[in-house]
């Protein structure tokens, strides 16, 4: 299994889309964090540390989730298209281990991207004279990985059944809804009829990633955090991951 994970991880981190999306994400965070504003709210610039912190966490989480989906889109389907999976079976590796190893590589590649983006946050903390808060970034990073796990698990599972295009569309829809859960919930109450029902249905099947970002921000600001929203997303990803173990995909022929 470690060999499969290592090979898949090396392949992913060398992909152009990985480097491009990560590079754009870094530039985007740097532009936002180093920008200046002439608008103030309650006497505080909108680029003040306390206000920008939540924005940066939300944006970095969204970028990481986007990259997680892109990296996981065709991992499993491509492996079967190569028609070399029989080389795995003859080594006594089950489909369950094969699928979970590939999903694990997706997760680790996304974790690497998250680590790079958090390095940008360290730079932001230092530039704002908030270096004493840097140790809090480690637990915050681990909380962000909860969102990463949810995204990679969802996309990896969908790729067992669907084409990369369909997997991407559905994953973006569900993850996007999770990232905007609070706003969409408010919108569902303001809407009526089919649109309200559809929004609520999507929210029911989506992981509440917005709450994960909110708790991460609260932790960094020294506030009390709620464990339940984090545990709900962890449970969501855990239950979904069982499909990788239970589902038996038709083995590719040699």
């Amino acid at each position: 299994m470690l060999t499969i994970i290592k090979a898949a991880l090396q392949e992913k981190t060398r992909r152009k889309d990985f480097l491009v999306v990560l590079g754009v994400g870094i530039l985007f965070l740097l532009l936002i964090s180093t920008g200046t504003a002439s608008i103030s709210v309650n006497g505080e610039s909108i680029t003040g540390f306390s206000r920008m912190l939540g924005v940066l966490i939300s944006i970095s989480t969204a970028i990481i989730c986007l990259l997680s989906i892109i990296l996981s889109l065709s991992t499993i389907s491509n492996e079967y298209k190569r028609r070399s999976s029989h080389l795995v079976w003859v080594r006594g590796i089950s489909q369950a281990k094969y699928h979970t190893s590939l999903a694990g590589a997706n997760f680790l590649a996304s974790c690497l991207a998250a680590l790079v983006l958090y390095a940008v946050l360290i730079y932001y903390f230092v530039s704002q004279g908030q270096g004493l808060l840097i140790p809090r970034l480690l637990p915050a990073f681990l909380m962000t990985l909860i969102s990463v796990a949810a995204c990679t698990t969802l996309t990896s599972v969908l790729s067992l059944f669907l084409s990369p295009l369909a997997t991407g569309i559905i994953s973006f829809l569900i993850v996007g809804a999770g990232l905007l859960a609070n706003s969409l919930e408010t919108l569902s109450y303001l809407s009526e009829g089919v649109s309200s029902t559809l929004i609520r249905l999507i929210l029911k099947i989506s992981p509440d990633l917005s709450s994960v970002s909110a708790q991460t921000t609260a932790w960094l600001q020294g506030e009390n955090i709620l464990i339940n929203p984090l545990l709900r997303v962890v449970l969501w990803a855990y239950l979904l991951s069982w499909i990788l173990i239970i589902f038996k995909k038709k083995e590719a022929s040699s």
Side-chain angles (χ1 to χ4, degrees), residues 44-213:
E44 181 182 0
S45 169
I46 63 173
T47 56
F49 181 79
S50 62
R51 294 186 181 277
M52 281 300 300
L53 184 57
V55 174
L56 290 175
I57 290 297
S58 296
I59 292 177
S60 60
T61 300
I63 294 172
I64 294 168
C65 289
L66 170 64
L67 190 55
S68 298
I69 293 174
I70 293 175
L71 291 175
S72 307
L73 273 179
S74 54
T75 301
I76 295 177
S77 58
N78 280 351
E79 288 296 326
Y80 280 97
K81 284 181 181 178
R82 292 174 182 173
R83 297 188 177 277
S84 58
S85 54
H86 62 286
L87 299 176
V88 176
W89 316 142
V90 297
R91 288 177 170 80
I93 299 176
S94 65
Q95 282 202 42
K97 291 182 178 179
Y98 189 45
H99 294 161
T100 53
S101 296
L102 294 175
N106 294 337
F107 175 71
L108 291 176
S110 300
C111 288
L112 179 60
L115 188 61
V116 174
L117 291 180
Y118 260 74
V120 178
L121 292 180
I122 292 177
Y123 167 77
Y124 176 67
F125 276 40
V126 172
S127 67
Q128 295 294 311
Q130 301 290 337
L132 292 177
L133 294 180
I134 290 178
R136 283 184 167 268
L137 283 173
L138 178 57
F141 176 74
L142 297 178
M143 283 188 269
T144 299
L145 294 189
I146 294 175
S147 296
V148 172
C151 294
T152 53
T153 302
L154 170 66
T155 312
S156 297
V157 167
L158 290 177
S159 68
L160 284 172
F161 308 95
L162 304 172
S163 66
L165 178 60
T167 298
I169 292 174
I170 296 175
S171 295
F172 282 126
L173 179 64
I174 294 177
V175 171
L179 291 169
L180 300 172
N182 291 335
S183 300
L184 289 177
E185 185 175 4
T186 301
L187 182 60
S188 70
Y189 290 117
L190 299 176
S191 305
E192 296 180 355
V194 177
S195 59
S196 176
T197 302
L198 181 59
I199 292 174
R200 293 182 185 183
L201 176 61
I202 294 175
L203 288 175
K204 283 184 178 180
I205 63 175
S206 301
D208 189 0
L209 303 181
S210 65
S211 290
V212 177
S213 295

Side-chain angles (χ1 to χ4, degrees), residues 13-57:
T13 54
R14 293 171 182 169
R15 284 170 48 175
K16 289 183 179 179
D17 51 3
F18 174 83
L19 299 175
V20 169
V21 174
L22 182 57
V24 171
I26 292 172
L27 288 176
F28 191 53
L29 286 178
L30 286 174
L31 286 173
I32 293 176
S33 62
T34 58
T36 57
S38 58
I39 302 175
S40 298
V41 178
N42 294 328
E44 181 182 0
S45 169
I46 63 173
T47 56
F49 181 79
S50 62
R51 294 186 181 277
M52 281 300 300
L53 184 57
V55 174
L56 290 175
I57 290 297

